Amino acid sequence: MIEFPMVSFENVTKRYGALTVLDNLNLTIARGEKVAIIGPSGSGKTTVLRMLMTLETIDGGVIRVEGEPLTHMERNGQLVPADQAHTRKVRAKIGMVFQSFNLFPHMTALQNCMEAPVKVLGLSRDEAEARSTELLEMVGMSNRRDYYPSQLSGGQQQRVAIARALAMRPKVMLFDEVTSALDPELVGEVLQVIRKLGAEHDLTMLMVTHQMGFAKEFADRVCFFHSGQICEEGEPTAFFQNPQNERSRQFLRAVLEAG
Amino acid sequence: MGIRGLAGVLFLTVAVIWYLSGLEGYKIFVPGLAQGAAMTLQITAAAAVLAVIAAITAALSKLYGPAPLRWLAITYIEVFRGTSALVQLFWLYFVLPVFGITMEAYEAAVLGIGLNIGAYGAEVVRGAIISVPRGQWEATIALNMTRAQALRRIILPQAFAAMIPPWGNLFIELLKTTALVSMITLGDLAFRAQQMNQTTMKTVQIFTLVLLIYLAMSLAITIGMRVLEHRAARGILRARAA
Ligand SMILES: Nc1ncnc2c1ncn2[C@@H]1O[C@H](COP(=O)(O)OP(=O)(O)OP(=O)(O)O)[C@@H](O)[C@H]1O
Ligand SMILES: [Mg+2]
């Protein structure tokens, strides 16, 4: 049996009007790989994750998840735009954590985690509660399970959001600057949870981040984006110590100076 | 004014109505006005239910329906907002029979007023739905929920809180609009008042009572909506208080 890559972007192009945000992107991610996406503002990092989460349409190319096209489906040997059922089937493998948490404000932490497993996966309430409790435990939030999001700090909300995404048992987790909206003293607790997740070798992770230290320590691979293209990619230690591309060097220098 | 304050004013209003009803010059009007008030309340309640159903249906159709449904919703909203409630009642009761569609005056009243307020309500519902942050929708997609699940479980409950105050205004508007039903032969509060005024000429007594009765009804609506608002806000923002 051929082992498909977990995710592959094949010549993917994304435009907003006249602006080409991603230009013929090619990116292949192996099962269990942890990829850090870095780059200057506006380089298209968020767009990559949003396309994979099907929050954005694409204007060219194909995205595949375990070999199966995400935005398309095969019909009579041809790729045609995917219908809702197909999209939902493939999308089930992907989960996402947002910069602004996006917890449901009218539900407690536990209800936030249980909602989709019950409604989408059809779990019984008992099963969903057991699963959610376990995950809230994992992110260190089991003692706050009955709190509403507005009763929680940013770091706590983000940890609940991580548990909520995991409750759907995705194979790929997307993190879009998940610590950027947090006060500095709360960043550590969220990164700690992500580290713990990283130890699960089956979970594939794509993370857009401005925390270079974390990217270096955590990722198997770093992709440096610039103007909608991957300018340079490689193993983190090598990339950070000895970047090859002029743009990467500039970017790292600027980041270092900013402290 | 807080809920307690409003309740106090309502209590006072009812007390004054009670007191006046016992007085010589007022007593004779009480049975007639009570019948009228009952009719007004009945139409208000039935039309309010219809208005809410029509508003939600039209708003969802306009936002998410397929093109024909969307156009139907837009047409409904614009026609009923763009013409007066009186003309709508006349159409339902006097014009439609010409085309072979007949209904009781009471049915025409509930239908006309319900659809009229529902058209304004549709825009309230639509506004509340689109005011829910986009991130909420995105979270439902990331959790692989269907659009119907997202609306029912995530979006509408949050929109609900935002629509309560404007609905309070609409219900009071609705109550006042019911005075038009006298034009299609129904014996509501306004109609009874006019009738008795014509036969007795006791304008001051009659219209003092009528004013107080309408005031009591609209205060009751305001208080009811405030209580709902309070509840909804607690569900979402339980936070800071705790
Ligand atoms: N909905 C949109 N409409 C128009 N242009 C958009 C939209 N979303 C993103 N863009 C543009 O696409 C480009 C890439 O945006 P993207 O959000 O992917 O950048 P990013 O690398 O995540 O940047 P940042 O580090 O600031 O988050 C930017 O130029 C942005 O202005
Ligand atoms: Mg971004």
Side-chain angles (χ1 to χ4, degrees):
Chain A
M1 198 186 87
I2 314 164
E3 172 79 14
F4 286 110
M6 192 66 225
V7 174
S8 60
F9 292 83
E10 298 166 10
N11 294 313
V12 173
T13 297
K14 172 70 188 174
R15 294 187 204 92
Y16 289 112
L19 176 72
T20 300
V21 177
L22 288 169
D23 191 10
N24 272 302
L25 175 72
N26 284 288
L27 175 61
T28 304
I29 296 151
R31 180 183 307 276
E33 200 180 5
K34 324 297 185 214
V35 178
I37 296 176
I38 63 172
S41 181
S43 56
K45 308 180 297 293
T46 294
T47 308
V48 171
L49 298 195
R50 290 176 58 84
M51 290 187 315
L52 186 51
M53 194 66 260
T54 68
L55 296 172
E56 302 286 349
T57 56
I58 65 177
D59 300 302
V62 185
I63 301 174
R64 289 179 193 273
V65 179
E66 293 188 304
E68 214 174 352
L70 168 70
T71 48
H72 299 74
M73 55 188 187
E74 278 174 58
R75 187 168 284 164
N76 309 326
Q78 295 241 312
L79 282 185
V80 298
D83 61 20
Q84 193 61 18
H86 177 87
T87 306
R88 293 190 68 227
K89 189 181 93 193
V90 184
R91 181 163 69 198
K93 299 175 181 172
I94 303 169
M96 182 162 180
V97 181
F98 301 88
Q99 184 174 343
S100 50
F101 329 135
N102 296 347
L103 289 178
F104 305 134
H106 57 304
M107 296 180 173
T108 62
L110 182 65
Q111 289 167 341
N112 263 278
C113 293
M114 287 175 60
E115 180 66 17
V118 170
K119 298 290 172 196
V120 178
L121 304 181
L123 261 58
S124 74
R125 299 202 70 81
D126 286 345
E127 288 170 307
E129 182 171 340
R131 181 186 286 196
S132 303
T133 308
E134 192 178 308
L135 286 165
L136 286 170
E137 183 87 43
M138 199 271 288
V139 301
M141 289 296 296
S142 51
N143 55 340
R144 298 284 158 92
R145 51 179 260 173
D146 296 322
Y147 283 46
Y148 285 85
S150 51
Q151 293 170 294
L152 300 171
S153 74
Q156 293 172 328
Q157 288 186 57
Q158 195 59 296
R159 287 187 277 147
V160 172
I162 292 172
R164 179 177 73 171
L166 291 170
M168 295 300 281
R169 301 260 161 95
K171 295 183 173 180
V172 185
M173 278 283 278
L174 312 178
F175 297 85
D176 187 10
E177 296 195 38
V178 293
T179 58
S180 291
L182 300 179
D183 292 336
E185 75 271 20
L186 301 178
V187 169
E189 64 189 49
V190 173
L191 293 185
Q192 197 52 42
V193 166
I194 298 175
R195 268 190 206 99
K196 218 191 267 180
L197 274 183
E200 284 189 37
H201 297 291
D202 253 10
L203 192 62
T204 307
M205 291 163 78
L206 258 81
M207 132 169 24
V208 173
T209 183
H210 288 300
Q211 319 256 196
M212 296 305 146
F214 186 71
K216 189 167 162 182
E217 154 218 343
F218 181 80
D220 301 317
R221 175 158 51 130
V222 177
C223 291
F224 172 73
F225 273 72
H226 192 279
S227 304
Q229 284 176 318
I230 299 178
C231 236
E232 181 170 353
E233 60 179 318
E235 195 277 320
T237 321
F239 175 82
F240 285 107
Q241 268 165 16
N242 189 17
Q244 300 299 309
N245 186 288
E246 181 51 34
R247 293 226 163 83
S248 334
R249 277 201 286 269
Q250 266 176 11
F251 176 73
L252 290 178
R253 226 172 10 244
V255 170
L256 277 179
E257 275 166 21
Chain B
M1 208 186 299
I3 293 176
R4 273 155 207 272
L6 287 166
V9 178
L10 175 60
F11 181 78
L12 215 78
T13 311
V14 173
V16 173
I17 295 171
W18 190 256
Y19 171 74
L20 290 177
S21 309
L23 296 184
E24 253 337 295
Y26 290 84
K27 231 183 221 160
I28 42 161
F29 304 118
V30 171
L33 291 182
Q35 272 181 7
M39 172 61 82
T40 294
L41 272 182
Q42 205 181 334
I43 296 172
T44 302
V49 171
L50 177 63
V52 170
I53 294 170
I56 293 175
T57 310
L60 291 180
S61 304
K62 186 170 169 182
L63 279 170
Y64 308 114
L69 210 57
R70 203 162 64 233
W71 282 108
L72 199 67
I74 292 171
T75 309
Y76 156 61
I77 293 169
E78 295 310 323
V79 166
F80 274 83
R81 284 198 313 171
T83 59
S84 81
L86 183 62
V87 174
Q88 290 155 22
L89 287 176
F90 270 52
W91 258 84
L92 288 173
Y93 192 61
F94 297 119
V95 182
L96 286 189
V98 177
F99 301 103
I101 304 169
T102 52
M103 56 185 99
E104 299 291 321
Y106 175 75
E107 291 164 354
V110 170
L111 197 63
I113 294 173
L115 290 179
N116 179 273
I117 297 296
Y120 290 94
E123 291 300 286
V124 166
V125 172
R126 198 177 75 95
I129 290 175
I130 59 186
S131 75
V132 175
R134 203 169 54 128
Q136 293 291 309
W137 275 110
E138 295 184 346
T140 68
I141 293 173
L143 292 169
N144 215 8
M145 297 170 80
T146 63
R147 192 148 77 172
Q149 287 168 339
L151 264 174
R152 201 167 48 239
R153 301 282 306 168
I154 309 301
I155 306 300
L156 285 177
Q158 292 181 61
F160 184 67
M163 28 176 131
I164 296 171
W167 268 109
N169 290 336
L170 283 177
F171 287 147
I172 288 173
E173 197 60 40
L174 192 158
L175 170 67
K176 293 191 287 188
T177 308
T178 57
L180 295 177
V181 303
S182 56
M183 308 299 280
I184 57 169
T185 74
L186 281 173
D188 75 318
L189 185 55
F191 176 80
R192 299 273 175 180
Q194 269 167 8
Q195 207 181 29
M196 291 191 276
N197 187 41
Q198 269 162 20
T199 51
T200 65
M201 301 300 236
K202 299 273 195 230
T203 308
V204 175
Q205 289 86 334
I206 292 170
F207 282 97
T208 303
L209 279 175
V210 167
L211 182 132
L212 289 171
I213 295 171
Y214 272 121
L215 179 62
M217 290 198 259
S218 71
L219 279 169
I221 292 174
T222 305
I223 292 168
M225 296 306 281
R226 284 290 188 85
V227 170
L228 259 184
E229 196 182 334
H230 213 68
R231 292 247 173 104
R234 246 201 340 222
I236 289 179
L237 310 167
R238 203 171 298 245
R240 269 126 224 165

